Amino acid sequence: MNNFIFQNPVRIIFGKGVIAELPAHIPAGSKILMTCGGGSIRANGVYDQVKKALSGFQVLEFWGIEPNPRYETCMKAVEICRREKITFLLSVGGGSVLDATKFISLAAFYTKGDPWDLCSKGATVPQTIPLGSVITLPATGSEMNFNAVISRDSTHEKLALADPKAYPVFSIMDPEVTFSLPERQSINGIVDAFVHVCEQYMTYPVNAPLQDRQAEAVLHTLVEEGPKVLKNPKDYDARANIMWAATHALNFIMACGVPQDWSTHMIGHEITALHGLDHAQTLACVLLGVFKHQKKEKGAKLAQYGRRIWGIAPGPDAAEKAIDQTETFFRSLGMKTHLKEYGVGTENFEKIASRIQDRGMKLGEHANIGKKEILEILNLSL
Ligand code: NZQ
Ligand code: ZN
C-alpha cells in the first residue's frame, strides 16, 4: 500500500426529514446566501422545507446556477457575497449548485487576480465563506469532498479545482428529496458514481484488500440498487442506498494508499465543454474506451472486478468479458455507450487531445496516456 494522509471534516446529516435540522448546523446570526439551480427545489418542496427551517436567519437567495455551472454565473453570486457581506453559503440542489457554491466560497476572497485562477492555476485563498449543503442529487460525491468543476463560456473550458478549504461544513442528505429526479438524472447519478469508483480502483493491485473491497461494496450496491430506483422512484430504501453509495464513491476513502486514474473524467470534461453532453453520458462512453485501450495495464484488476462483481470465471478473456459486462450494465440502465449515439463525431478529437497535452498532463496510473493515446481512446469511445 502507498503512503497517504486522509482527513475528511464533513458532517453528514442523513435520513428522512433532516432538512428541519438545518438551524442546528449554521452559526447563529449568520447572514446566509442560499444558492439554487433552475427551480427543481420549488417543484419538489425542498425550497419550502429549507425556508421554514431557516425562518430565524437572514436569508438572501441566488437562483439560476445551471448544470455544468458557469464561471460567469458564479461571479454574479461573488458580487452579492462581497456587497452584502454574506457570512454563510447554503447550497440547495445537485452537484452543480454545490460545485458553484464551493467556487463562490473561495472566489469571494480571491482578490489578487481573476478567480478563474482557482481552476486554471490551482490558486488558493487565505479564507473562505463557510458553506453547507442540502444535496438533492446523488452522483458527484461533492457533498463530502473538496472538488468543484466549473465551466467557462468564453473559452469553452471545463476545469476542476481541488482545495481542502472547499469542504462543506455539513451536508444534509434526505433520500426522499431524490424521489422527484427525472429518470435521466437518476441514471446519470448511478453511472457517475460507478465511474468514480472505477477511477480509484481499476488500476493495478498494490495489496490493498480493504480499499478494493470498499470499492467493490459500492459497485455491488450500485448494481443491485440502481435498477430498483429506476423501477420504483419512490422506493425509500433503494434511494437511501444509492445516495449513500454515491457519497462513498467520491469521498476518497477508497483512494487511500492506492493508485488512481482519472483519464475518463479528464477526457469526459472536454467532451461536455465542447459538445454539451451530460457529465455521466460522456463517462459511460469514455470509460469503456479507456478500459479497452488499457486492457493489458488494468488486466489484473479488470479480472478481479469481473470475478467479484459479475461472477466471471478467471481465464485469458476475463478482462474482455468484464468490459463487455460493464457495457451491458450501463445499457440496461438506459445509458448510451457510444459517442456517435449522441451525434458526436471525430471533429473535436484533435482539440481535446491537444488541450489535455497542453496542460502538461499525462494521464493514467502509469502516466502513459498522452496525446496519441487520448486520440486512440476517443476513437474506441466512438
Ligand atoms: O437546476 P435544477 O432545477 O435544480 O435541476 C437539476 C438539474 O437540471 C436537476 N435536479 C437536481 N436535483 C433534483 C433535480 N430534479 C428533480 N429532483 C431533484 N431532487 O437535475 C439536473 C442536473 O443537476 P446537476 O446538479 O447538474 O447534476 P449532478 O449532481 O450530476 O452534477 C453534475 C456536475 O457535477 C460535476 C460535473 O462535471 C457536473 O458539472 N462533478 C463534480 C464532482 C465533484 N464536485 O466532486 C465530481 C464529478 O465527477 C463531476 O465532474
Ligand atoms: Zn464524475
Side-chain angles (χ1 to χ4, degrees), residues 139-140 191-193 195-196 199 250 262 265 269 279-280 283:
T140 61
V191 170
D192 192 18
V195 177
H196 293 157
E199 305 260 48
L250 202 52
W262 288 92
H265 271 71
H269 286 169
H279 174 60
L283 301 180

Side-chain angles (χ1 to χ4, degrees), residues 91-224:
S91 162
V92 186
S96 291
V97 175
L98 181 46
D99 282 8
T101 309
K102 290 174 175 178
F103 181 84
I104 295 160
S105 147
L106 298 168
F109 284 97
Y110 191 77
T111 47
K112 61 185 176 203
D114 180 348
W116 184 244
D117 294 351
L118 297 163
C119 299
S120 64
K121 296 183 182 159
T124 189
V125 281
Q127 74 182 106
T128 62
I129 304 176
L131 71 106
S133 87
V134 176
I135 192 80
T136 62
L137 201 171
T140 61
S142 191
E143 64 277 7
M144 202 176 172
N145 70 37
F146 58 61
N147 300 93
V149 189
I150 306 296
S151 298
R152 188 164 188 167
D153 261 3
S154 57
T155 51
H156 291 284
E157 284 175 288
K158 179 171 180 173
L159 296 179
L161 69 80
D163 186 334
K165 290 198 174 79
Y167 271 122
V169 178
F170 64 79
S171 286
I172 300 264
M173 303 176 64
D174 181 345
E176 284 185 321
V177 312
T178 69
F179 288 177
S180 58
L181 281 168
E183 186 176 64
R184 168 169 152 191
Q185 298 303 339
S186 294
I187 297 168
N188 280 349
I190 297 161
V191 170
D192 192 18
F194 194 97
V195 177
H196 293 157
V197 177
C198 291
E199 305 260 48
Q200 299 161 89
Y201 166 85
M202 207 67 78
T203 56
Y204 54 87
V206 290
N207 197 0
L210 174 67
Q211 293 89 321
D212 281 1
R213 288 195 167 89
Q214 287 171 325
E216 289 152 5
V218 177
L219 294 178
H220 266 304
T221 306
L222 294 169
V223 168
E224 283 174 12

